[in-house]
Amino acid sequence: TKARLIANGSGVNLPGGARSWNDVGTPVTFRVGPDELRFGEFPERLTGPRYADGWLPIVQLAYEHADVRLAQESFASVDPQLAAHGVVFVKFHLAEGEKSSVAAQVEAKSPVVVQGNTLRDAQGRVLVWFDAAWKWQRQRLVANLTGQTSATLAIATVPLEATDVSPLAKDGFARERAACVQTWREITARGLQ
């Protein structure tokens, strides 16, 4: 299952806007600052996308808005169970500035239910996992960022049956990122032999 990260960092699995395009997954739009402008809305304020180490499939972006620079890093899980559902990990933090906010607007086809640190569909399947930095407000997840904080999400392209353990638990973003790096280094090493 393949997820779709929008090149300017504005979201994951957003609608293509054409009848010939087959949309997949639950759309999640990222908004920044007190006015909740879409991340990457003005290309002249955007840095990236770039890949980690110049080639690894870990997408890095930065966006300047309201006197701060917000950084975003995204990658697809390589864990077989999560990869089968097209789970994308996304992390936000401040690259420059003192404080800002980021919002994740989930545009599900049915009402979203908040349960613990998950957003679920009407059947109880997980659409999004979120860490403690996020709060459910005004029908969206909102995280307030400072220079010392970050906010992470795991977004399922295909909803998953509920599990007891979040992939973000116990520094899950870092663990999943390290697994992604190791897997892709091994794949390319085999290809170069």
Side-chain angles (χ1 to χ4, degrees):
T1 300
K2 295 182 181 178
R4 186 173 63 248
L5 173 68
I6 306 305
N8 68 355
S10 62
V12 173
N13 298 326
L14 299 184
R19 280 187 246 149
S20 61
W21 183 261
N22 184 20
D23 291 322
V24 297
T26 301
V28 179
T29 302
F30 304 127
R31 299 183 176 280
V32 297
D35 56 351
E36 293 189 352
L37 183 74
R38 281 169 52 125
F39 190 105
E41 183 75 17
F42 297 103
E44 64 274 12
R45 298 184 197 169
L46 185 68
T47 304
R50 294 188 176 135
Y51 294 112
D53 294 341
W55 66 276
L56 288 166
I58 299 171
V59 181
Q60 299 169 332
L61 296 135
Y63 188 62
E64 295 177 26
H65 181 63
D67 298 326
V68 298
R69 193 162 170 249
L70 294 109
Q72 179 191 116
E73 185 172 74
S74 307
F75 61 90
S77 178
V78 296
D79 174 273
Q81 181 185 2
L82 298 177
H85 291 269
V87 173
V88 176
F89 286 81
V90 184
K91 180 178 185 177
F92 294 94
H93 71 274
L94 287 181
E96 294 175 11
E98 293 183 21
K99 65 180 181 174
S100 189
S101 62
V102 62
Q105 183 177 347
V106 179
E107 300 164 24
K109 293 177 180 151
S110 62
V112 174
V113 177
V114 180
Q115 188 173 343
N117 281 13
T118 63
L119 297 181
R120 299 177 188 228
D121 65 11
Q123 290 79 38
R125 299 173 301 178
V126 178
L127 302 171
V128 178
W129 288 273
F130 54 93
D131 69 13
W134 299 93
K135 304 294 179 235
W136 184 250
Q137 302 172 353
R138 301 178 331 278
Q139 297 304 106
R140 64 192 70 200
L141 290 167
V142 178
N144 293 312
L145 301 174
T146 66
Q148 287 74 39
T149 61
S150 63
T152 58
L153 299 167
I155 301 166
T157 299
V158 175
L160 281 96
E161 294 302 323
T163 60
D164 293 337
V165 180
S166 166
L168 295 173
K170 298 180 183 175
D171 207 17
F173 183 91
R175 186 178 58 252
E176 289 283 335
R177 188 186 191 283
C180 180
V181 169
Q182 179 182 351
T183 299
W184 283 97
R185 288 190 189 283
E186 288 171 1
I187 289 170
T188 54
R190 283 193 308 266
L192 294 172
Q193 296 297 321

